[in-house]
Amino acid sequence: MGYKTITLKLPTDYSSEFLRNKISKELRLKEFDFQIENKSLDARKKSNIFWLVKVVVSSPEIKNGETIAQNVLSIPYKKSNKNIVVVGSGPAGFFNAFTLQSAGFNVTLIERGSEVKKRSQSILTFERGGTFDPQNNYAFGEGGAGTFSDGKLTSRSKRISKEKHFILSSYVEAGAPEEIMYMAHPHLGTDNLRKIVKNLRIEFENLGGTILFETLLEDVVIVNNKVKEVRTSRGTLPADALFIAPGHSAYETYKMLIKKGIPFRTKNFAIGSRMEHRQEIINNAQWGHSKLPGVKAAEYRLTSAADGKHQVFSFCMCPGGTVVPAAAYENTNIVNGMSYYQRNGKFANAACVAGIHPDELAGKTVSPIDALANLQKLEEAFFNYSGNYTAPACSIRDFLNQKSKNTNLESSFPLGLAPAPLWEMLPQPVVNAMQAGLVDFERKMRGFETGNLLGFESKTSSPIQVIREQNGLVEGFENLYLIGEGSGYAGGIISSAADGIKAAMHFAEK
């Protein structure tokens, strides 16, 4: 059996039969199998948009073929009686627990929210006008914040190829479409994610792992720089090692850890608002067509030097998606985005945020505790504007002109909009940067000025970062790891999950 890798240009609506015939003609083969290795859309010329597809072909007719490298994560196994506690069931926490259980440890995974079905019901009730649930919302509950998102599986990290392959393979085994293994910009959609996180949980439990839902981390017993016990809202757990994956929203967990002597520092982060356009505007800007056969919906990724001091960029773009009320705590008001796998909604949305340091926001040097408190004050101010969870909003044109003219805004946001002068509600350095960045975005994408800005986007990254070693071990501690987005070292599903896996592998190999 020989192997050959080739790259083909294919029409956007090509079929499997078309691809097979193309391979046969290109390599002059009759008997062969093939596997897609990479697939990306080339839309640089709107008159000639095509898929660029890289395939690995195997056939007994191929002589002197290529050697295909194996990209497999090898988890060391040795049955151990050590009790491991993992906090948080988001990508970092789950894949950390999954890896450790696979390595032979006794792992208990605790999650402050409920399992995904109950969580989904609480969110639906909230969006239909019901009461906000502090335990089950877009931030807390099984699968973490990523469960209700676009489910993007891209990452800029270059040294996580084995971890990434393990993550994607695990998702496919849990019901994800196989295309995530090769798409240049793969995504799952929140509809798939809700099924996947449940199936992964069942697999973890079948390995012998334990998950405790509705269990909040309250305290950590530390003796001589070593964790001994974990105190939760449901009792005390012994811990030979503790892995905390708090996510970006667990303010009380951050505060407890800081008071226990866990070292944190402030760092740059980004805040702003959510941009929303009709999807057909984005499609026309990117493709020159309102629809493209074989492609769901157009995406974009925009960056700008803005005012020269603060970079402005789009974040977590959700084609055909929905802007959602993502508050983690009562009396706070923030927004985020999500989409379903088909990306067939009427609107497109993405964050428009400016990078800034907590010291600049405060006008003085601040501690990590103060940085969190200042951010929470902004989240509360957006709630206080309308006194509820409607999203303060304005058109992009009004934001640039700093005048309220268009108050009849259409949106996917389920709780309604409250016309608002966002240029007065956001910090002035952020406003200045966003205005310069939006002008730049308008030059890059035709029709961009027709969009709207919604609410407060504050969860692109954390304003604080734990001081830790490269393997996730907290500096000065023997058996305490902080991982994932809440550690300040990762962001997004893949990089967070990989961070959790790396920490697990470090502990297992010790």
Side-chain angles (χ1 to χ4, degrees):
M1 184 68 68
Y3 297 89
K4 183 74 174 177
T5 302
I6 60 172
T7 300
L8 303 169
K9 293 182 179 180
L10 302 175
T12 59
D13 58 349
Y14 77 90
S15 64
S16 296
E17 183 180 3
F18 183 93
L19 174 55
R20 174 167 282 277
N21 291 337
K22 189 81 170 177
I23 294 170
S24 178
K25 184 177 180 181
E26 184 82 11
L27 297 180
R28 299 179 181 178
L29 299 174
K30 292 183 179 179
E31 180 186 343
F32 64 91
D33 291 315
F34 68 91
Q35 181 174 329
I36 299 177
E37 189 172 273
N38 187 268
K39 178 179 175 180
S40 60
L41 189 70
D42 190 324
R44 289 174 294 179
K45 292 184 178 180
K46 293 181 175 59
S47 60
N48 183 28
I49 300 176
F50 55 87
W51 287 114
L52 201 61
V53 180
K54 183 178 181 181
V55 293
V56 178
V57 183
S58 58
S59 171
E61 300 175 39
I62 297 175
K63 308 301 180 184
N64 302 318
E66 304 168 2
T67 300
I68 305 300
Q70 297 298 313
N71 196 23
V72 178
L73 181 72
S74 179
I75 300 174
Y77 179 85
K78 184 178 181 180
K79 184 60 181 175
S80 170
N81 61 1
K82 289 186 180 295
N83 295 307
I84 312 300
V85 177
V86 180
V87 180
S89 69
F94 177 82
F95 275 96
N96 174 265
F98 188 62
T99 304
L100 287 166
Q101 189 66 40
S102 299
F105 296 99
N106 301 317
V107 182
T108 300
L109 173 60
I110 68 172
E111 165 59 51
R112 66 190 295 162
S114 303
E115 51 84 19
V116 70
K117 183 178 180 180
K118 184 175 179 181
R119 181 186 181 191
S120 299
Q121 290 170 342
S122 292
I123 290 174
L124 182 61
T125 298
F126 172 56
E127 291 188 344
R128 288 178 174 174
T131 304
F132 172 78
D133 185 347
Q135 187 169 262
N136 292 303
N137 47 60
Y138 279 102
F140 302 137
E142 184 173 15
T147 302
F148 294 88
S149 68
D150 181 65
K152 290 178 183 61
L153 302 176
T154 51
S155 174
R156 298 178 186 176
S157 301
K158 303 296 183 183
R159 299 178 182 177
I160 59 169
S161 58
K162 289 184 178 181
E163 291 83 3
K164 183 176 181 179
H165 187 271
F166 177 72
I167 296 161
L168 296 179
S169 298
S170 298
Y171 280 145
V172 171
E173 290 175 10
E178 289 191 11
E179 67 179 34
I180 67 171
M181 301 298 298
Y182 57 78
M183 290 293 290
H185 299 285
H187 79 107
L188 292 169
T190 189
D191 45 344
N192 279 326
L193 274 162
R194 292 180 222 181
K195 302 171 187 174
I196 289 165
V197 296
K198 176 185 175 181
N199 291 339
L200 286 173
R201 178 228 307 166
I202 293 170
E203 187 173 353
F204 172 68
E205 291 175 327
N206 287 340
L207 288 171
T210 300
I211 295 186
L212 301 178
F213 291 111
E214 300 176 10
T215 304
L216 177 66
L217 173 66
E218 293 184 338
D219 197 6
V220 179
V221 178
I222 299 172
V223 179
N224 296 325
N225 297 326
K226 190 172 183 179
V227 174
K228 294 294 185 181
E229 291 180 343
V230 175
R231 293 176 180 169
T232 79
S233 57
R234 291 177 57 180
T236 300
L237 299 170
D240 293 300
L242 173 61
F243 295 79
I244 304 178
H248 51 43
S249 297
Y251 287 170
E252 70 272 77
T253 301
Y254 277 132
K255 293 172 184 176
M256 181 272 290
L257 293 173
I258 292 170
K259 289 177 181 177
K260 299 296 291 189
I262 312 305
F264 281 83
R265 59 191 165 211
T266 57
K267 70 172 184 65
N268 283 334
F269 71 125
I271 57 175
S273 295
R274 202 82 187 167
M275 304 179 286
E276 188 170 47
H277 297 79
R278 279 189 168 270
Q279 182 62 52
E280 62 190 30
I281 297 292
I282 305 303
N283 291 356
N284 277 308
Q286 297 292 73
W287 301 335
H289 308 279
S290 59
K291 293 183 179 180
L292 197 60
V295 187
K296 296 175 186 175
E299 305 175 57
Y300 63 80
R301 180 179 292 174
L302 297 168
T303 61
S304 172
D307 59 359
K309 299 176 183 178
H310 311 86
Q311 186 186 41
V312 172
F313 55 96
S314 63
F315 179 83
C316 188
M317 198 266 155
C318 299
T322 304
V323 182
V324 298
Y329 297 96
E330 197 170 11
N331 300 330
T332 64
N333 191 333
I334 62 175
V335 295
N336 211 319
M338 75 167 205
S339 62
Y340 294 105
Y341 174 67
Q342 291 298 335
R343 289 179 166 177
N344 55 4
K346 187 165 62 172
F347 296 95
N349 71 79
C352 175
V353 291
I356 197 165
H357 194 277
D359 291 352
E360 184 180 0
L361 279 180
K364 60 181 180 180
T365 301
V366 295
S367 68
I369 286 280
D370 290 337
L372 292 175
N374 291 338
L375 183 57
Q376 190 165 4
K377 286 178 183 177
L378 280 170
E379 294 169 352
E380 290 170 349
F382 271 74
F383 179 87
N384 292 336
Y385 177 81
S386 56
N388 54 41
Y389 298 97
T390 57
C394 66
S395 70
I396 289 177
R397 286 194 180 103
D398 285 356
F399 185 81
L400 293 175
N401 296 326
Q402 299 193 80
K403 292 181 180 180
S404 296
K405 289 186 177 181
N406 185 5
T407 58
N408 187 24
L409 308 177
E410 59 174 359
S411 174
S412 64
F413 191 73
L415 296 179
L417 305 183
L422 294 180
W423 56 90
E424 295 177 3
M425 300 173 67
L426 291 165
Q428 198 59 50
V430 173
V431 171
N432 295 341
M434 284 176 60
Q435 287 174 335
L438 286 166
V439 170
D440 205 6
F441 294 169
E442 289 180 4
R443 287 196 293 264
K444 294 176 180 178
M445 289 188 65
R446 185 176 180 181
F448 205 81
E449 69 282 356
T450 63
N452 301 318
L453 292 176
L454 280 68
F456 185 42
E457 178 95 18
S458 61
K459 302 302 183 186
T460 62
S461 57
S462 173
I464 66 174
Q465 182 182 64
V466 70
I467 300 173
R468 69 176 204 183
E469 298 175 14
Q470 190 174 4
N471 49 43
L473 188 66
V474 176
E475 188 176 277
F477 291 82
E478 294 183 28
N479 63 345
L480 174 61
Y481 294 76
L482 244 71
I483 54 177
E485 197 161 336
S487 72
Y489 290 88
I493 292 173
I494 294 295
S495 64
S496 294
D499 197 50
I501 292 170
K502 283 179 175 288
M505 293 290 283
H506 173 263
F507 183 82
E509 289 166 356
K510 282 204 307 180

